């Protein structure tokens, strides 16, 4: 552990940024998070976390809270969109836990975010600070914010999502690619189903679209669904963008009655354009690096975007453990080299949304332990 630690500025208090704050504080660094939002809201979305990311969260002390708040079904079904035929039952519950050493959870995204936020002192999260620029100086990095304020740090981590400004500083402006698809998603009380049953968790595969439906807590009283629906003309990514329920129901009108029952019961829906990027040529400079969607944004079809951001946070903390200021660049290279192949592969497989290919990846995705996976060779300090 560095005496006094490095002063580290994390841009973005999303799932990746908060986890990195917790892992880096654990190895003695002095962390501050700069987040553009004024406040965090519990907006209707679910999230899956598999054994690979749960192993990271376990070491941060979150496992008991996850077990209490998250849903841990015995299986996830993959069904044909029209007949409902089960084409693959992905075993979860005790089976996945025995095999990979940690559970597979389904939960409300807001609950996961709140649990991560509770891992760090509120005082280190600076809200309403939208990063507009970065300047590397001889001694560190100066961050500039939209409100005119500035901050200095030894090291900056861009955890600022798919449209990352930090990525832009490192690699130049380049818009992420719109997939031509949107996610309709929402959570709503299960009581609105008026007794109609749903599967604990199911992905309904249609010819050119799909819908995933699951409970987000062990009480089974809140339902989540998320679609991937072709809509090449919609490119808005905003939690406030509402979807049109009529259009959504029409897009799934030929799906199985069980799917239609869920869409009929939901009172409102958000609509979110899906973006991704090709794997980046590099993530780091001497005093700046990226994490999560800022460096490897992916389609949500393997439910690994946030999970790999959480893995990044663990590996980054291992690479920066005990590192002095003159070794930061080498440590960041080591982090990048340790993570790139894995995240690039998951990005590329996820894009395909092919059940057989996803099946073939499960072993390597779930068995990974970011706390003990071999790190890339240390790079000599430049
Ligand atoms: C429909 C859908 C379903 C998904 N389901 C899953 C799932 O089941 N499991 C899973 O693991 N992943 C899932 N993902 C992926 C997951 O949501 C992302 O990979 C994850 O949120 C990435 O986290 P992050 O912290 O890197 O970025 P983000 O969550 O995007 O957080 C970035 C943060 O940075 C802030 N920020 C941005 N710009 C600035 C700036 N200039 N200055 C200051 N702050 C800034 C933002 O406000 C935000 O708080 C899903 C994604 C989608 C779209």
């Amino acid at each position: 552990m560095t005496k006094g630690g490095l002063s580290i500025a994390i841009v973005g208090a999303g799932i990746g940024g908060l986890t990195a704050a917790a892992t880096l504080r654990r190895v003695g660094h002095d962390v501050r998070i700069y987040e553009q939002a004024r406040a965090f809201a519990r907006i209707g979305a679910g999230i899956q976390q598999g054994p690979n990311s749960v192993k990271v969260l376990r070491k941060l002390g979150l496992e008991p809270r996850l077990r209490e708040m998250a849903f841990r079904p015995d299986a996830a079904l993959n069904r044909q969109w029209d007949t409902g035929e089960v084409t693959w039952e992905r075993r979860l519950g005790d089976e996945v836990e025995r095999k990979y050493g940690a559970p597979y959870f389904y939960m409300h995204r807001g609950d996961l975010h709140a649990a991560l936020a509770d891992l760090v002192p509120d005082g280190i999260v600076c809200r309403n600070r939208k990063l507009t620029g970065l300047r590397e100086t001889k001694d560190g990095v100066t961050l500039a914010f939209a409100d005119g304020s500035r901050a200095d740090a030894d090291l900056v981590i861009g955890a600022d999502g798919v449209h990352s400004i930090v990525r832009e500083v490192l690699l130049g402006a380049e818009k992420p690619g719109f997939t031509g698809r949107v996610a309709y998603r929402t959570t709503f009380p299960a009581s609105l189903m008026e007794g109609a049953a749903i599967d604990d968790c199911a992905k309904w595969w249609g010819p050119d679209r799909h819908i995933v439906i699951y409970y987000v807590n062990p009480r089974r009283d809140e339902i989540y669904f998320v679609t991937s629906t072709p809509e090449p003309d919609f490119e808005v990514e905003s939690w406030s963008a509402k979807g049109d329920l009529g259009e959504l129901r029409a897009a799934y009108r030929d799906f199985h009655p069980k799917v239609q029952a869920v869409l009929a019961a939901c009172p409102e829906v958000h609509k979110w354009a899906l973006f991704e990027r090709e794997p980046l040529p590099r993530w780091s400079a001497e005093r700046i690096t990226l994490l999560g969607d800022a460096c490897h944004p992916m389609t949500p079809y393997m439910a690994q975007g946030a999970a790999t951001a959480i893995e990044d946070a663990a590996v980054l903390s291992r690479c920066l453990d005990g590192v002095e200021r003159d070794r930061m660049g080498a440590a960041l290279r080591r982090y990048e080299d340790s993570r790139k192949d894995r995240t690039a592969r998951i990005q590329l497989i996820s894009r395909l949304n092919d059940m057989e290919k996803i099946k073939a990846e499960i072993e390597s995705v779930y068995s990974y332990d970011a706390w003990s996976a071999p790190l890339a060779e240390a790079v000599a300090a430049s």
Side-chain angles (χ1 to χ4, degrees):
M1 194 185 297
T2 317
K3 192 164 164 268
L6 301 169
S7 92
I8 300 182
I10 298 177
V11 184
I15 288 171
L18 288 172
T19 312
T23 59
L24 291 166
R25 280 169 52 81
R26 204 175 150 266
V27 293
H29 297 303
D30 175 19
V31 178
R32 238 159 227 285
I33 313 179
Y34 298 95
E35 165 59 47
Q36 65 183 3
R38 285 170 193 274
F40 303 123
R42 188 180 187 272
I43 292 170
I47 196 158
Q48 310 179 33
Q49 291 301 305
N52 49 315
S53 54
V54 172
K55 280 177 236 174
V56 175
L57 302 176
R58 170 183 285 162
K59 200 153 189 163
L60 299 176
L62 273 193
E63 188 172 1
R65 182 158 169 179
L66 292 174
R67 284 191 186 274
E68 211 174 284
M69 75 188 195
F71 184 46
R72 198 183 67 103
D74 289 333
L77 302 181
N78 288 272
R79 288 186 182 274
Q80 269 288 101
W81 59 289
D82 50 354
T83 62
E85 180 200 347
V86 175
T87 48
W88 173 33
E89 180 176 319
R90 188 159 54 94
R91 298 300 304 165
L92 298 171
D94 292 344
E95 211 167 306
V96 92
E97 201 165 334
R98 255 196 315 274
K99 190 159 180 202
Y100 299 107
Y104 197 107
F105 289 127
Y106 293 75
M107 66 199 99
H108 197 291
R109 186 190 169 90
D111 293 345
L112 176 61
H113 191 270
L116 291 168
D118 284 348
L119 290 178
V120 298
D122 199 45
I124 70 161
V125 185
C126 311
R127 295 177 181 78
N128 197 15
R129 291 288 193 93
K130 183 180 166 66
L131 183 84
T132 51
L134 286 179
R135 195 164 54 84
E136 274 198 74
T137 62
K138 200 163 70 56
D139 301 321
V141 188
T142 302
L143 300 91
F145 301 99
D147 62 0
S149 63
R150 288 176 190 279
D152 295 309
D154 292 329
L155 171 61
V156 171
I157 297 166
D160 48 345
V162 62
H163 301 285
S164 171
I165 297 287
V166 182
R167 191 212 68 86
E168 197 170 310
V169 170
L170 278 180
L171 296 168
E174 189 182 348
K175 281 178 78 172
F178 175 48
T179 57
R181 311 184 68 86
V182 301
Y184 287 92
R185 59 177 162 175
T186 193
T187 55
F188 66 96
S191 57
L192 295 180
M193 293 292 295
E194 294 180 345
I198 68 157
D199 297 316
D200 280 348
C201 170
K203 178 169 178 176
W204 298 77
W205 296 76
D208 67 345
R209 62 200 65 198
H210 70 246
I211 179 166
V212 179
I213 306 169
Y214 56 82
Y215 293 108
V216 292
N217 66 43
R219 302 180 301 280
R220 292 188 173 84
D221 62 12
E222 194 172 8
I223 294 174
Y224 169 63
F225 70 77
V226 56
T227 76
S228 171
T229 312
E231 266 189 47
D233 297 329
F234 183 86
E235 293 200 26
V236 180
E237 247 187 324
S238 160
W239 288 107
S240 54
K242 288 278 163 68
D244 182 305
L245 277 175
E247 281 175 22
L248 168 63
R249 288 169 185 153
Y252 289 82
R253 70 174 160 249
D254 296 330
F255 272 57
H256 193 275
K258 273 187 157 186
V259 171
Q260 295 198 45
V262 170
L263 299 183
C266 86
E268 59 169 20
V269 72
H270 299 278
K271 186 174 175 181
W272 186 276
L274 295 173
F275 287 91
E276 60 170 353
R277 287 184 195 275
E278 294 300 325
L280 301 182
R282 65 188 180 95
W283 300 357
S284 308
E286 276 305 295
R287 299 189 183 90
I288 303 176
T289 194
L290 302 172
L291 178 145
D293 276 10
C295 50
H296 48 71
M298 55 183 77
T299 61
Y301 310 144
M302 284 173 75
Q304 284 296 322
T308 47
I310 290 170
E311 291 177 358
D312 288 344
V315 173
L316 180 60
S317 74
R318 290 172 65 201
C319 294
L320 285 172
D321 187 3
V323 164
E324 307 280 344
R325 294 172 81 223
D326 59 345
R327 293 277 313 163
M328 286 186 313
L332 296 183
R333 275 286 301 284
R334 190 177 195 200
Y335 152 68
E336 174 179 333
D337 290 348
S338 302
R339 294 293 299 153
K340 228 181 195 162
D341 287 354
R342 175 172 170 83
T343 54
R345 183 167 175 86
I346 297 177
Q347 275 177 293
L348 297 176
I349 303 282
S350 186
R351 170 186 296 169
L352 302 174
N353 196 25
D354 175 319
M355 196 173 77
E356 292 307 319
K357 296 209 162 53
I358 293 173
K359 233 187 224 178
E361 287 305 300
I362 281 195
E363 182 67 29
S364 75
V365 172
Y366 294 178
S367 60
Y368 183 84
D369 183 345
W371 295 117
S372 59
L375 297 177
E377 292 219 355
V379 185
S382 54

